[in-house]
Amino acid sequence: MHIPGRCLFVNRRWLKTLFAVGLTLAVWIGHSPFISGMASAASFAKKIAIQAVQAGVDDYNSGDYSVAIEHWLEALNGYPADDPVPEKAVIHTNLANAYQQLGQPHKALGALIEAGNIYDQLGMVARMGRIQTEQAQIYASLGQYRRAIALICLPQNVDIQTTNPINVDEPPSPVTLFQNCVEDGAYPLALSTQDLAGQVAALGSLGDAYQLQGDYGSAVVILTAGLHLAHQGPLSDAYEIPMLNSLANAYGRQALLSYQRAEAAKSLTFVSSAQELKVKGDGQFDNAISYVEEALLLVQQRFALIDEPLTDGRSLIPLLTDELRTQLTLLKLSQRRHPVPDLSLTQQRIGQLLQQLPNSRETAYAAIALAKSYQENPQAFSCFSPGTDSIVRTVLDHAQIIAKDIDDFRAQSFATGQLGHFYECQAQISLSSTQKLTYQQEALRLTKLAEWQADEGRDAADSQYLWKWQAGRLYESQGDYTQAMASYHQAITILDSIRDDILTATQDLQFDFRDAVEPLYRKMIKLQLELADNTSYQLSVENGNDDVPLNSLEGALQTVDSLRLAELQNYFGDDCLLSPIRQEQVIELINQNTTSAVISSITVGDQMALILTVPNAAAQLTWVPVNTERLVKTAIDYRQGLERSHDRTYDYHSAAQLYQWIITPFDEVLAEAHVKTLVFIQDGILRSIPMAALWDGAQYLIENYAIATVPSLTLTEPEALRPKELEVLTLGFSDGLCDENGSNCEYAPIWHVEQELQSVRHIFPGSPAPLLNREFTSENLAKALKKNHYSLLHIATHGEFSADPDSTFIVTGDGEKLTFGALEKLIRDNSSNTHPIELIALTACDTGLGSDRSTLGLAGVALRAGARSAIASLWLIDDAITADIMGHFYRNLKEHPNLNKAQALQAAQIAAIQRDGHPGNWAPLILVGNWL
């Protein structure tokens, strides 16, 4: 049964990948074609075939990949179609290499499958393993990481907490590291045949797949084991440099994640945590630089050993390619440093290598990456640094020449589109209005050409949206808002259609999302709000979904919803595909609940917009009357005041200020509509604070309105609670995770957990005994779910909402950190019910550092745990008070069927207020998801 608004777990179709992925993958097998293993002679046809193979090798080494393919296809005709000889497998493998150089991964996979079938028929196990490694490499480049990993190995018990370099002299044993590999995986096949080169290649490809999936700790362990093998004897020349580059990339990504978390901590004035994370990131970054510098040193040493007069230039191509990849890795890492170091020597050397290497998709993208390195910052459409105009234009012209030479429309699209952006930047700095218009026209011409080239290229929707976005900016700069709106809308429509693919194609996008995707949505929303707010401006534009005019508040809300879905999909990655309900169901949800209103917040530029939606009425817009910097400071002051719940007095100033900015503008409308429930869809800092304790000067907001928060209305099921069917399973962990002396605790004991669980069970007397402490394990939870269907799960244990979904978890009684993805899978695999869990309560959680990504984990907790709604705490609060509030909440649900979940929580929190409770003791408990 399909349940709207939940995560879907499906077999992924082939994913489209951002071109940046191609610049980070090492090539573990197939640096160049080979003819070893070809029969010496047997027939005249075979002799002709061997000559064709050699001609193809010569063409390949000269960069004539298309001609090489023609020769190798000709060579295949020299062998009977039904004759599975190794020579044919060699030719198919060479064809795969050439197809990849031309940017045709699907044809490359087909060729590898043909080669694999031949080796399988001949029982050539080692060769079969190598073919699987090459297939895995291509699947990883297409974003299908799980399929890539499955082709090589499914390792268990990898220490993913690795943050420091592993001693290469004492690495983890590959034999013990991957004890649970499937027998026909590439790595066990290489082990069984003692194929050392096959083992190294498999580990390299496996490590890359893990780091592209975002599992950097596992990637480091795997790649370090591979590096240890690569140091052995004759393998070093082929594999050391790629392995060092991959390790540098893995540590670089780890560092970026640490820096991102440090910035989030700093923004919330968590100075100590911010410093710790920065130090951690610095260490990871130093590791990355040390590995890439070691790779460059090896390149220099190997060049020094070459006798130039006796060396054929074509034989240098593998080493030159290794250096290009290493220099690109150094360039990418250096751009992430603060401050960015002088890149001129690296940029100059990459330019030289592009002149020396044959044209290929790799060199085309390398040229584009080189041009982009001259941008002032890493944002998708940042302009170029002053004084670099000439070199940027030259490099992009060269990228176009390469792409045209290899007949690669996809590469042409990126090169042409970037050149269009170059002229867009020229128009921005031009002082002459005539010259400015000329530049804008040339930028628009090139952008349109890039769109056409993207249409001609296969799987190019991920570039198409970039050029629609660019066209929108150009139209807007010319004052053509009709065309600008249409272009932005087309770009977002493309993004929405490939959201599941592009936002999960590489975990790099968890870093790049705000630079490469999010600004498009906010640009569109800004224009929509400006035009909707300006009634004097008449605009003729197409309608959006369900015939909603784009230049209306309703149209803006649809774009905001698309952004929310994109954020969550990017956060969850490929573990969870979102399944939104239709827009007409959203309208029905609002209009049928006549006492509920929705307030959506959205940051646009330096201001926060607030849009109110009430049943059967037009949406209303207001703006927070201060800039975002002041809003953030006030919100932080408000939260920190609430967190000081042990203070005898409470300072209402920040709570009153936020009420005035967020609620007061809508007071009259809410009163006239007789609204009883406020549903918030929050953005930015507002995700980190509870609305319940906003202060109107006499009362808290919760005293006048029931309150809920949802990640998106299209992810909220329009179905009310069925109180007669409530059955609860209670779980808890009170002991804490401490050392033997009990003095050093990762998680302190929660003293009133047992009291809380027994209280809940008393309200629902037919419920089973709680799973407490050591009884609370994944295995016991699975058994309990198999026995019975539960509509409520009450979990009293430590939990964290992190910027990383893999670090968003609850702690079980045996110390396991059970991620919400694992929890959802456990519920899904062991529950026989066709309906989702109504409510999951998590009463001892913490939003960690409170970054936007951390609060996405909180916003999506119900989705990820497979429930309609959730009650969770924004930070850890007094567990005795929590037990009391949750007891009131459950009694309200059971005894007052006329109350919805939001109203039941409201009544429980009002009871806490009447007991003279500090707002910091009750406000952090929030309802997420379906409030009915």
Side-chain angles (χ1 to χ4, degrees):
M1 176 180 177
H2 169 61
I3 302 172
R6 297 182 67 195
C7 292
L8 294 182
F9 294 78
V10 298
N11 292 323
R12 302 303 307 274
R13 60 188 180 275
W14 280 19
L15 300 180
K16 306 163 187 70
T17 178
L18 295 181
F19 83 96
V21 175
L23 302 178
T24 61
L25 281 176
V27 178
W28 296 105
I29 290 180
H31 280 285
S32 53
F34 53 95
I35 59 173
S36 60
M38 301 297 293
S40 56
S43 66
F44 180 74
K46 288 189 177 180
K47 287 181 180 180
I48 297 298
I50 293 171
Q51 292 174 4
V53 169
Q54 182 59 65
V57 170
D58 292 339
D59 291 324
Y60 184 100
N61 288 333
S62 299
D64 294 330
Y65 305 116
S66 296
V67 178
I69 288 171
E70 292 177 7
H71 282 300
W72 289 331
L73 290 175
E74 177 189 347
L76 284 176
N77 293 328
Y79 298 90
D82 57 351
D83 188 6
V85 295
E87 292 88 342
K88 289 173 63 178
V90 170
I91 296 171
H92 282 299
T93 304
N94 288 347
L95 281 167
N97 291 332
Y99 285 133
Q100 288 188 77
Q101 291 290 351
L102 293 176
Q104 300 173 16
H106 305 293
K107 287 187 176 180
L109 279 171
L112 289 174
I113 289 170
E114 292 290 341
N117 289 338
I118 292 171
Y119 287 135
D120 189 33
Q121 292 178 59
L122 295 174
M124 299 177 70
V125 177
R127 286 289 183 185
M128 186 65 208
R130 293 192 183 195
I131 290 296
Q132 287 183 200
T133 294
E134 291 199 61
Q135 288 177 314
Q137 209 170 285
I138 296 175
Y139 281 124
S141 75
L142 291 169
Q144 292 183 307
Y145 314 123
R146 291 186 175 186
R147 190 165 186 175
I149 290 167
L151 278 167
I152 300 172
C153 167
L154 294 174
Q156 300 291 325
N157 303 320
V158 174
D159 179 13
I160 64 171
Q161 302 302 319
T162 303
T163 55
N164 297 314
I166 300 170
N167 187 344
V168 176
D169 296 324
E170 297 180 358
S173 166
V175 176
T176 58
L177 193 61
F178 310 126
Q179 292 179 344
N180 294 320
C181 288
V182 292
E183 292 182 0
D184 57 352
Y187 183 69
L189 289 179
L191 279 176
S192 67
T193 56
Q194 298 182 343
D195 179 11
L196 196 59
Q199 293 172 43
V200 176
L203 290 175
S205 187
L206 184 65
D208 278 344
Y210 268 100
Q211 68 168 303
L212 288 174
Q213 186 175 256
D215 189 350
Y216 309 124
S218 295
V220 166
V221 173
I222 294 164
L223 293 169
T224 303
L227 181 61
H228 177 72
L229 291 179
H231 282 319
Q232 299 180 20
L235 293 178
S236 58
D237 285 353
Y239 294 109
E240 274 185 317
I241 293 172
M243 202 70 75
L244 289 166
N245 277 326
S246 287
L247 276 164
N249 277 315
Y251 274 118
R253 290 185 173 103
Q254 274 190 326
L256 196 59
L257 187 59
S258 295
Y259 288 146
Q260 190 179 67
R261 291 172 176 172
E263 288 177 10
K266 185 178 179 181
S267 71
L268 291 178
T269 68
F270 298 140
V271 178
S272 177
S273 296
Q275 184 59 31
E276 288 176 8
L277 286 166
K278 184 182 182 303
V279 170
K280 181 180 179 181
D282 288 343
Q284 293 162 337
F285 199 89
D286 289 342
N287 294 339
I289 293 296
S290 68
Y291 280 121
V292 78
E293 287 178 344
E294 184 179 348
L296 283 175
L297 180 61
L298 284 176
V299 169
Q300 293 168 5
Q301 291 173 348
R302 289 172 188 173
F303 273 125
L305 297 174
I306 294 173
D307 189 345
E308 291 189 17
L310 300 177
T311 301
D312 180 359
R314 290 178 298 183
S315 64
L316 291 177
I317 289 176
L319 187 55
L320 291 170
T321 302
D322 276 342
E323 184 183 0
L324 176 65
R325 292 171 183 155
T326 306
Q327 294 285 3
L328 286 169
T329 299
L330 179 60
L331 184 67
K332 182 178 180 180
L333 289 171
S334 298
Q335 287 176 288
R336 291 173 173 173
R337 275 206 156 170
H338 298 287
V340 177
D342 183 7
L343 304 177
S344 57
L345 291 178
T346 303
Q347 291 167 326
Q348 182 180 356
R349 180 56 183 156
I350 292 173
Q352 293 170 348
L353 290 167
L354 291 175
Q355 297 296 328
Q356 293 175 272
L357 284 164
N359 293 341
S360 67
R361 167 173 273 201
E362 184 170 7
T363 56
Y365 287 153
I368 296 167
L370 176 58
K372 287 173 67 67
S373 73
Y374 290 97
Q375 291 180 179
E376 291 188 289
N377 62 62
Q379 288 185 348
F381 288 108
S382 168
C383 281
F384 302 94
S385 299
T388 62
D389 298 352
S390 177
I391 190 168
V392 170
R393 173 63 196 267
T394 300
V395 172
L396 288 175
D397 283 344
H398 185 54
Q400 282 191 307
I401 291 171
I402 296 172
K404 288 178 182 177
D405 184 54
I406 63 173
D407 199 26
D408 186 337
F409 279 107
R410 182 178 171 80
Q412 287 180 50
S413 174
F414 278 112
T416 304
Q418 285 297 326
L419 191 58
H421 175 55
F422 170 80
Y423 281 107
E424 178 187 15
C425 293
Q426 293 296 104
Q428 291 177 14
I429 62 176
S430 177
L431 298 178
S432 165
S433 58
T434 302
Q435 189 66 56
K436 184 184 188 75
L437 180 60
T438 301
Y439 284 141
Q440 287 176 336
Q441 290 173 339
E442 179 63 5
L444 194 55
R445 183 190 71 81
L446 290 166
T447 301
K448 292 295 184 183
L449 178 58
E451 289 181 26
W452 176 82
Q453 290 167 335
D455 281 337
E456 293 297 306
R458 185 175 181 178
D459 293 339
D462 58 326
S463 64
Q464 184 71 274
Y465 94 91
L466 291 171
W467 314 136
K468 295 290 186 185
W469 178 7
Q470 185 161 287
R473 294 195 311 275
L474 289 166
Y475 284 126
E476 187 174 0
S477 69
Q478 296 174 356
D480 189 343
Y481 299 123
T482 298
Q483 289 291 347
M485 186 79 78
S487 294
Y488 289 147
H489 178 59
Q490 289 166 2
I492 288 174
T493 300
I494 292 170
L495 263 184
D496 287 348
S497 71
I498 61 170
R499 178 177 59 238
D500 297 342
D501 294 343
I502 194 171
L503 299 183
T504 63
T506 168
Q507 283 298 307
D508 262 2
L509 265 182
Q510 69 173 276
F511 309 127
D512 298 337
F513 179 82
R514 290 181 181 173
D515 294 333
V517 176
E518 184 177 351
L520 166 60
Y521 288 94
R522 295 194 186 273
K523 189 80 172 172
M524 172 75 164
I525 294 164
K526 181 175 184 292
L527 184 57
Q528 287 176 299
L529 293 180
E530 288 174 348
L531 296 176
D533 210 18
N534 185 0
T535 56
S536 64
Y537 191 90
Q538 299 299 316
L539 182 67
S540 174
V541 296
E542 61 182 297
N543 290 338
N545 297 330
D546 305 305
D547 295 323
V548 174
L550 293 177
N551 60 323
S552 65
L553 291 182
E554 289 75 15
L557 283 171
Q558 287 190 359
T559 309
V560 170
D561 188 73
S562 291
L563 172 58
R564 296 289 169 256
L565 293 176
E567 287 176 320
L568 283 166
Q569 187 66 75
N570 173 239
Y571 178 81
F572 287 138
D574 66 354
D575 282 341
C576 167
L577 300 186
L578 300 175
S579 176
I581 63 175
R582 297 187 306 277
Q583 197 66 36
E584 56 265 28
Q585 290 177 281
V586 172
I587 297 171
E588 179 184 348
L589 174 65
I590 294 172
N591 290 339
Q592 285 187 352
N593 294 278
T594 56
T595 60
S596 297
V598 180
I599 297 178
S600 301
S601 60
I602 182 71
T603 302
V604 179
D606 196 33
Q607 275 193 293
M608 175 78 79
L610 301 168
I611 305 175
L612 173 68
T613 307
V614 294
N616 304 302
Q620 297 195 30
L621 169 69
T622 190
W623 296 85
V624 174
V626 296
N627 61 26
T628 52
E629 181 180 359
R630 185 176 171 192
L631 174 63
V632 168
K633 183 182 184 305
T634 304
I636 291 172
D637 290 344
Y638 167 66
R639 172 162 169 163
Q640 290 178 339
L642 291 174
E643 288 179 340
R644 294 191 293 271
S645 58
H646 295 295
D647 291 355
R648 291 188 177 182
T649 59
Y650 174 67
D651 184 354
Y652 292 94
H653 177 75
S654 297
Q657 186 66 83
L658 289 170
Y659 187 102
Q660 183 181 352
W661 292 339
I662 299 171
I663 305 299
T664 298
F666 302 128
D667 268 340
E668 291 185 10
V669 177
L670 294 173
E672 289 174 2
H674 305 290
V675 170
K676 295 181 179 179
T677 302
L678 288 179
V679 180
F680 290 91
I681 306 174
Q682 301 286 40
D683 193 23
I685 190 63
L686 297 187
R687 290 172 174 159
S688 298
I689 61 175
M691 294 290 104
L694 299 188
W695 181 253
D696 68 359
Q699 290 181 306
Y700 296 107
L701 185 63
I702 193 68
E703 295 182 88
N704 292 310
Y705 301 100
I707 294 171
T709 182
V710 297
S712 161
L713 285 178
T714 56
L715 295 175
T716 304
E717 296 179 56
E719 189 171 336
L721 178 71
R722 297 178 297 277
K724 292 182 180 179
E725 301 176 16
L726 295 182
E727 295 185 63
V728 64
L729 177 64
T730 56
L731 312 97
F733 180 42
S734 64
D735 290 345
L737 294 180
C738 304
D739 60 17
E740 294 180 358
N741 299 323
S743 57
N744 185 18
C745 296
E746 181 180 5
Y747 294 102
I750 310 175
W751 303 112
H752 297 90
V753 164
E754 186 171 2
Q755 170 192 336
E756 179 179 337
L757 299 187
Q758 292 295 351
S759 174
V760 174
R761 189 186 178 206
H762 179 73
I763 298 169
F764 302 97
S767 303
L771 297 177
L772 180 64
N773 292 329
R774 296 203 174 274
E775 292 297 313
F776 174 22
T777 64
S778 297
E779 183 179 354
N780 286 341
L781 174 57
K783 290 178 180 177
L785 291 171
K786 280 185 177 179
K787 281 185 178 180
N788 194 14
H789 160 56
Y790 298 99
S791 49
L792 305 176
L793 280 185
H794 184 95
I795 305 175
T797 183
H798 286 285
E800 290 189 11
F801 297 105
S802 166
D804 178 4
D806 289 333
S807 298
T808 296
F809 57 82
I810 56 174
V811 181
T812 63
D814 55 359
E816 178 189 1
K817 293 178 179 178
L818 185 66
T819 67
F820 285 104
L823 176 62
E824 200 282 342
K825 185 177 187 302
L826 191 150
I827 293 170
R828 174 169 50 90
D829 290 348
N830 294 283
S831 180
S832 60
N833 61 297
T834 57
H835 295 284
I837 291 171
E838 281 289 349
L839 175 76
I840 181 169
L842 304 159
T843 59
C845 293
D846 192 340
T847 49
L849 299 176
S851 71
D852 278 357
R853 285 187 64 83
S854 297
T855 50
L856 280 174
L858 176 60
V861 60
L863 286 170
R864 202 62 181 95
R868 281 200 175 94
S869 54
I871 288 181
S873 57
L874 280 167
W875 59 85
L876 188 61
I877 55 180
D878 186 292
D879 55 310
I881 297 174
T882 299
D884 189 64
I885 294 173
M886 292 305 300
H888 276 79
F889 168 74
Y890 288 126
R891 278 192 293 272
N892 292 334
L893 279 186
K894 183 179 180 182
E895 297 172 5
H896 303 283
N898 59 310
L899 296 181
N900 62 36
K901 284 175 278 192
Q903 292 166 343
L905 181 60
Q906 176 193 24
Q909 290 179 317
I910 288 175
I913 295 171
Q914 292 170 347
R915 291 190 298 275
D916 197 27
H918 187 288
N921 289 323
W922 51 262
L925 284 171
I926 65 172
L927 176 66
V928 180
N930 184 298
W931 67 93
L932 302 177

